[in-house]
Amino acid sequence: MAEVELSAGTIEYEDTGGDGPVVVLLHGVAMDGSLWRNVVADLRTDFRCVVPTLPLGGHRRPMRADADLSILGVARLVAEFLEKTDLRDVTLVMNDWGGAQALVADGRDQRIGRLVITSCEAFENFPPGLPGSNLYMSAKMPGGINLAFRLLKLTPMRRMPMTWGRMSKRPVPHEVMNQWFEPLWTSKEIRRDLKKYVLGVPAKSELNNWAEKLRDFDRPALVAWAAEDKVMPPEHGRRLAELLPKGQHVEITDSYTLIPEDQPGQLAAAVRTFLLEGSATEGSAAAE
């Protein structure tokens, strides 16, 4: 894992390297970059895949105590990450975490050439669904984050509707989830970071404004949504695609929210087609 020092602290990331177009993949709450392991395995032959671990609970290096880890604060860290690593014209891909909408609304999307939004928080669905509401209520109670994740040491708890049962149609391998949760089990500073994020949800009017600002994103965009999503409403995917001036919409079958876990092959194929078609279009325009 490589590291980069940002204003909030040290961020770890994976970089497959190479000369191909850059694809930056962003994970969700209480996960790390390994969410994308199967998608990266498919794409890395043709694309340079960069996968940061955001300070959303699965990170191993605590952020500074005064770090802004609200949704907008983390979105600004993504923009800072792109700047510090000198990544330009990237394809930004997100799953579960919808904060990249805030990044666009905040006017920090200059280094983004294409956007791929897969099943994620959008509109007023912050925190998302039953799992998000459960985590929010836990964060409001003293010691609640600690208790919530200690319960997830019991593997049957991981498939409950209020935890991860509605996040993926198929169980995420326990060894992967153990890696995601280990920082929260062992570090009060990591639990502090996650609590700051979970409780840093702005008013619904601002959340809807973030989505509306996608009308200003004039570059190619793909919305790939799980057709059977139980946490992120499928109609949100269609609404986002309609907001984006150059938006396309595809449904990913036989999947819940965590498409990189349930259907990494379908998702990788959709991203590959989107990027290659875009390259062909740009090449034709240049020739003319």
Side-chain angles (χ1 to χ4, degrees):
M1 296 285 284
E3 295 181 352
V4 61
E5 187 70 20
L6 304 183
S7 58
T10 302
I11 297 291
E12 296 181 317
Y13 65 100
E14 176 190 0
D15 186 347
T16 62
D19 298 325
V22 178
V23 180
V24 177
L25 303 112
L26 306 178
H27 61 84
V29 170
M31 307 174 209
D32 63 21
S34 66
L35 171 72
W36 294 100
R37 64 197 182 283
N38 296 319
V39 174
V40 168
D42 189 313
L43 294 179
R44 66 183 301 159
T45 54
D46 300 299
F47 304 97
R48 178 185 174 189
C49 297
V50 179
V51 191
T53 290
L54 302 177
L56 298 175
H59 56 301
R60 299 183 300 173
R61 303 282 293 274
M63 298 295 101
R64 297 189 176 92
D66 62 348
D68 178 5
L69 298 181
S70 65
I71 296 172
L72 182 56
V74 175
R76 288 172 173 169
L77 287 180
V78 172
E80 187 181 349
F81 172 80
L82 297 179
E83 181 179 355
K84 283 292 185 72
T85 52
D86 196 28
L87 297 175
R88 304 171 185 271
D89 193 31
V90 307
T91 297
L92 192 70
V93 186
M94 71 189 89
N95 177 247
D96 183 45
W97 182 66
Q101 297 163 69
L103 188 154
V104 172
D106 199 42
R108 298 173 186 260
D109 58 343
Q110 296 88 349
R111 291 174 179 263
I112 303 173
R114 288 155 296 278
L115 192 59
V116 178
I117 301 175
T118 78
S119 288
C120 67
E121 304 157 319
F123 304 105
E124 69 284 350
N125 192 31
F126 288 80
L130 183 58
S133 297
N134 181 56
L135 183 58
Y136 181 76
M137 293 304 297
S138 297
K140 292 181 72 174
M141 298 186 297
I145 293 281
N146 189 21
L147 175 60
F149 282 92
R150 288 200 175 278
L151 287 173
L152 292 176
K153 287 190 173 185
L154 305 172
T155 55
M157 290 294 296
R158 300 177 181 184
R159 296 301 296 168
M160 299 292 288
M162 72 285 295
T163 60
W164 294 80
R166 292 185 177 180
M167 293 295 292
S168 62
K169 196 169 184 180
R170 297 157 190 81
V172 177
H174 288 310
E175 62 271 18
V176 173
M177 297 195 88
N178 289 343
Q179 177 179 311
W180 292 352
F181 301 154
E182 182 70 24
L184 288 162
W185 289 338
T186 58
S187 171
K188 64 180 181 181
E189 289 82 12
I190 298 294
R191 294 193 294 270
R192 173 206 64 199
D193 289 350
L194 177 59
K195 182 175 181 177
K196 289 168 69 173
Y197 174 80
V198 173
L199 296 181
V201 178
K204 293 188 183 299
S205 58
E206 184 170 354
L207 296 172
N208 283 299
N209 180 60
W210 290 349
E212 284 293 322
K213 283 291 188 177
L214 291 177
R215 296 183 188 278
D216 299 332
F217 188 81
D218 58 358
R219 284 139 280 170
L222 173 69
V223 179
W225 216 268
E228 300 177 46
D229 207 310
K230 305 294 186 184
V231 177
M232 315 294 182
E235 60 266 26
H236 282 187
R238 293 186 286 270
R239 286 172 63 189
L240 289 172
E242 290 170 0
L243 288 170
L244 289 155
K246 296 182 180 179
Q248 305 174 34
H249 178 263
V250 297
E251 284 192 340
I252 304 296
T253 60
D254 194 26
S255 179
Y256 290 171
T257 300
L258 298 185
I259 302 172
E261 291 290 340
D262 278 337
Q263 294 296 340
Q266 273 194 64
L267 181 55
V271 171
R272 184 184 298 275
T273 298
F274 169 66
L275 294 181
L276 293 180
E277 286 180 351
S279 297
T281 302
E282 291 168 6
S284 298
E288 293 174 3

